[in-house]
Structure formats: C-alpha cells, structure tokens
Amino acid sequence: MIEYIRGELAELTPTLAVIDACGVGYGLNISLTTYSAIQGKKDVKLYVHEVLTAGGRDDSFVLFGFSSKQERELYRLLISVSGVGSNTARMILSTISPTELCNVIASGDEKMLKAVKGIGLRTAQRIIVDLKDKIVSSGIADELHVSNAPSSAVNNEVKDEAVGALTMLGFSPAPSAKVVTAILTEQPELPVEQVVKLALKQIK
C-alpha cells in the first residue's frame, strides 16, 4: 500500500500530476483543490489512494493524489456512498473545498451538492445521510474546524434567491453559493438585491 509519494513535480494539469520520485514518474489523478494547492511548486507530497480494477479484458491500477490527508479521507468517505464513484468524488472535491464540503454535509445543504455536475437530488441526499455522522466521528470536522450544526445566521430564503439570480446571470451555482453564504454570514439582514450586488463584486 502506498501512503504518499514525494518528489519533484514533473508535469501538472488540472486533473493529473506527475511526480518524479527517484527516477520513476508517478501519474496521479487529482482534484482542482489539490491542483490549486501544488501549482507553482517544485517539490510536492501527495497522499495516495489506490484503485485496482480487476475483471473484464483489462485490469487497471490507478492512483489518486491529494494535497492533504483530510481531502483523501473525504474522498474515501464519498466513494463509500452508493452511487458515488471515483470520478464523481473527484468532481465534488474539485467543485467544493474540503472545509466547505464538511459544512455542506453538516448543514444538510443538498442544493449545494446538486450544483455539482453529475449529482442528482437522491445522490445528494444519500451523501448527507450517509456521511453526516461520519465526518464528525472520523475527526475530519475537528481538523477542519467545522461546526456540526447548521448556521442560523444565514437566511436560506434570501440565499436561494440570490444564488438563483446569479445562476441566471451565468455564474456557476457552487461558487455563487459560497460567496452568498459568506456575505449573509457577515450581514444577515441584507435584502436579496444587495446580496446580489455585493456578490457580483466578489465572485470569480
């Protein structure tokens, strides 16, 4: 079992990192979260999850790499959920950061999960139900300083309307929700139109 690979970053794309370790180039599938964490670095250390697929015409051995143990643990929890495969789990972690994902699951925010490409309502609900207690018992929530209780500071009605408006304007739902939630956490009394105006200045 490979725990991690450390070496020189030989190649990097948003989905793949090649690490030269003692003359051997290891190709690891990565999320955008990990891509952002290691971009621009010369020497890196990625925690590994191995996937061996046997049967059929060809056997395959694939490595997934993560910039932190917490991200790897969340990935492993995600693929334990029925209907969530390796690529879907990577897509989730590419769209939502580990801390945000823990908050989304802890607060039961199925709309945020549904904003991820390939995630339907049933899968989003299953992820929340299956993992809500596990992210606490595994210790990830404590390590990422995540509260197990939903935030009462955010007006969900205003949040949903603001995210809907931003989506209509062409912005992706997941990053829009992140910005809107941050705004409402600091200024919970703001009306929808003010939230949208502030979000337009911050969203990328």
Side-chain angles (χ1 to χ4, degrees), residues 6-28:
R6 180 168 54 197
E8 182 179 345
L9 186 59
E11 297 177 30
L12 181 65
T13 73
T15 58
L16 183 73
V18 178
I19 299 178
D20 184 336
C22 300
V24 179
Y26 295 91
L28 298 100

Side-chain angles (χ1 to χ4, degrees), residues 12-13 20 25 54 83 100 110 141-142 144-145 162 165 186 195 204:
L12 181 65
T13 73
D20 184 336
E100 291 165 350
E110 60 190 37
D142 290 335
L144 296 174
H145 307 294
E186 293 183 2
V195 173
K204 296 180 180 180

